[in-house]
Amino acid sequence: MTVDVTVVGGGISGLACARAIQDAGKTVRVLDRGRRVGGRLSSRTIEGRPVDLGASYFVVGEAERFGHVVADWEERDLARPWTDTFVVVDADGNPSTKPGPMRWAAPLGSRSLALDLADGLDVVSERTVTRVEPSVVDGEPAGEVVLAMPEPQAARLADVPFGEGAAWEPVIAVVLRWDERRWPADLHGAFADGDADVSFLADDGDRRGDGAPVLVVHTTADRARQHLDAPDEAIAPVVAATRRLLRIDAEPASALAHRWTFARPAATTGRPFFRSPGLSACGDAWGESSAVRTAWTSGDALGRALAAS
């Protein structure tokens, strides 16, 4: 059956787009290559608990429509305010506080938010798309087609410069578990100022609310580029940097690395989405800054525009 819109990509942007289309009374199908939706809202169960491997948190800001979604998540205990204060750690491990907007987290893991958005949608998982043209996916009629994915991946499927060829940065997320907490109780999260190996550290037990002695450490783009073919090789330098920055006096009990080849755009377009007849695109590279709210807002705006056309 041909639908009004086919969305390729089951991350938060693609799911927000599909929901807006379905809520407007149009038919939509989501094709995703993974076993479960989520994209960079990725959580993995490690030693019996979900750990966020992708987005570290999200901020509502002035995104009013996204704010309504977050309020509903909070009411149903899917999301909770986490912290409005991180620290910045210098090369010698000296911290300084960095207040900012409220950061939100998902007690069940960030993928739970994507699964909630996908509830009631026609989602086809483990469906790898190889070629897209206007209104056509892999040679079959597909209605309006939306590519909800990083621009380098979209460019492999269609000959359209969606993001004007903007560069994307890689990240390797390293999950480190200790037998007990060995860093300050009020850490929450930390930006590493000028470190060659680490860009951000999140206290996953604090973020999750269960107090587990687990850190999720994101590498710098330069460190990630060195290990894209073998992500586990990033673990040793990340452990060393983490112990130095947080002054931890013991090796972690376990460690796991996850590669994100296209973690975030180096720059955004400033426009809400890409639109052309039969083929459009949305995601966190569209808007003023790369963020979870940007991805949701881009998909929602495109979905409403398609439904109205």
Side-chain angles (χ1 to χ4, degrees):
M1 179 187 73
T2 301
V3 293
D4 295 319
V5 181
T6 298
V7 177
V8 183
I12 188 170
S13 184
L15 295 172
C17 182
R19 289 228 68 89
I21 292 164
Q22 182 165 287
D23 289 348
K26 305 295 184 179
T27 58
V28 59
R29 178 174 295 131
V30 179
L31 307 179
D32 190 69
R33 67 180 183 178
R35 291 189 300 110
R36 295 187 299 168
V37 296
R40 282 167 287 151
L41 282 188
S42 174
S43 306
R44 179 172 172 179
T45 300
I46 301 174
E47 299 182 6
R49 63 183 297 277
V51 178
D52 283 340
L53 300 176
S56 296
Y57 55 85
F58 63 89
V59 172
V60 176
E62 298 179 358
E64 183 178 358
R65 289 179 60 84
F66 183 52
H68 294 315
V69 174
V70 174
D72 177 61
W73 284 339
E74 182 182 18
E75 184 176 346
R76 293 185 288 127
D77 296 323
L78 291 176
R80 71 181 189 96
W82 175 24
T83 181
D84 62 359
T85 303
F86 287 149
V87 299
V88 176
V89 183
D90 67 19
D92 296 321
N94 300 310
S96 58
T97 58
K98 183 179 177 63
M102 177 57 66
R103 284 84 169 189
W104 289 71
L108 300 178
S110 58
R111 191 189 299 273
S112 67
L113 306 179
L115 293 172
D116 185 67
L117 289 174
D119 186 38
L121 292 176
D122 178 7
V123 177
V124 182
S125 299
E126 298 183 283
R127 171 67 163 85
T128 299
V129 172
T130 60
R131 184 65 184 168
V132 168
E133 301 172 66
S135 301
V136 176
V137 172
D138 288 338
E140 299 293 331
E144 291 279 344
V145 178
V146 172
L147 295 182
M149 61 187 67
E151 190 269 341
Q153 294 175 321
R156 296 173 185 171
L157 303 181
D159 297 325
V160 179
F162 300 104
E164 290 79 39
W168 282 66
E169 297 181 339
V171 163
I172 294 176
V174 180
V175 181
L176 303 176
R177 180 185 65 81
W178 277 262
D179 292 329
E180 61 181 10
R181 186 189 184 96
R182 295 178 178 271
W183 50 90
D186 61 350
L187 175 70
H188 308 305
F191 297 101
D193 185 14
D195 190 81
D197 300 312
V198 167
S199 63
F200 183 73
L201 310 91
D203 183 334
D204 197 65
D206 185 66
R207 174 170 61 185
R208 194 89 316 111
D210 64 0
V214 175
L215 295 174
V216 178
V217 185
H218 286 192
T219 66
T220 60
D222 286 343
R223 171 55 72 181
R225 290 187 188 99
Q226 298 176 49
H227 304 292
L228 289 179
D229 292 333
D232 285 352
E233 293 180 1
I235 291 175
V238 166
V239 169
T242 299
R243 291 186 59 190
R244 172 174 48 80
L245 291 168
L246 300 186
R247 299 173 180 172
I248 296 173
D249 60 1
E251 288 287 310
S254 65
L256 177 145
H258 182 88
R259 172 187 59 214
W260 295 103
T261 303
F262 305 113
R264 55 179 172 251
T268 55
T269 67
R271 291 176 284 139
F273 50 76
F274 173 88
R275 178 83 174 93
S276 68
L279 184 58
S280 302
C282 57
D284 59 326
W286 302 91
E288 297 303 323
S289 63
S290 174
V292 171
R293 70 178 181 275
T294 302
W296 186 93
T297 300
S298 174
D300 176 67
L302 176 57
R304 289 185 287 118
L306 289 172
S309 64

